[in-house]
Amino acid sequence: MDGLTLRGVARLAGVSATAPYRHFADKEALLAAIAAEGFERLRVAVEAADASSRGMEALRAQGVAYVRFAREEPALFRLMFGAAVARGSLSAGAAFGVLRARITSLVPADRAEIAALSAWSMVHGLASLLIDGRIDPPDPEALVRAALAQFALGGAQLR
């Protein structure tokens, strides 16, 4: 994102060099707006996946949707979680709220937050490894499902 300028964005959009400044104070504000749109799109994808199933299968569906989003939109995914966008809370990506709600239905309340963070970290790590070419499994979605099955077996103490 270092080479990105508002002047360059204006040129690509076919508008005057000053037009972007009517909407964004600077490049960082533009990147934050793009990241916010990405988080909303991710939330919609994860929410739809969650609604397609129940229980642990809904959690696995969320994980698959998360990784699918990252693989389909790697530049946007990197922007959303990268240094170019100011840090906020995890709830800045409302997809985490969808995950937290599902986890809350699966684990005792006193373990829900740590279980949600653990599941999110696992799936986010897989997504990052996949889009960065660090791993190349034959079936990435099966890998996500298997990882979340291990999560369920290995200490999340699901109900």
Side-chain angles (χ1 to χ4, degrees), residues 23-24 27-39 76 79 85:
H23 305 280
F24 306 102
K27 178 175 88 170
E28 288 72 29
L30 171 63
L31 293 176
I34 294 168
E37 174 65 22
F39 279 118
L76 178 58
L79 172 67
V85 175

Side-chain angles (χ1 to χ4, degrees), residues 60-144:
R60 286 191 288 269
Q62 280 191 41
V64 167
Y66 190 97
V67 168
R68 188 176 294 146
F69 176 88
R71 294 181 72 219
E72 290 173 358
E73 300 283 354
L76 178 58
F77 186 82
R78 286 183 186 106
L79 172 67
M80 290 161 55
F81 294 101
V85 175
R87 296 285 186 250
S89 70
L90 288 179
S91 63
F96 184 73
V98 178
L99 171 65
R100 184 185 298 132
R102 176 55 58 197
I103 291 285
T104 299
S105 76
L106 298 171
V107 303
D110 64 331
R111 293 192 210 115
E113 188 69 15
I114 194 71
L117 287 169
S118 296
W120 180 71
S121 297
M122 180 187 312
V123 172
H124 183 82
L126 284 171
S128 296
L129 289 167
L130 286 162
I131 66 172
D132 289 340
R134 302 293 184 191
I135 59 175
D136 187 21
D139 186 348
E141 293 183 7
L143 175 61
V144 174

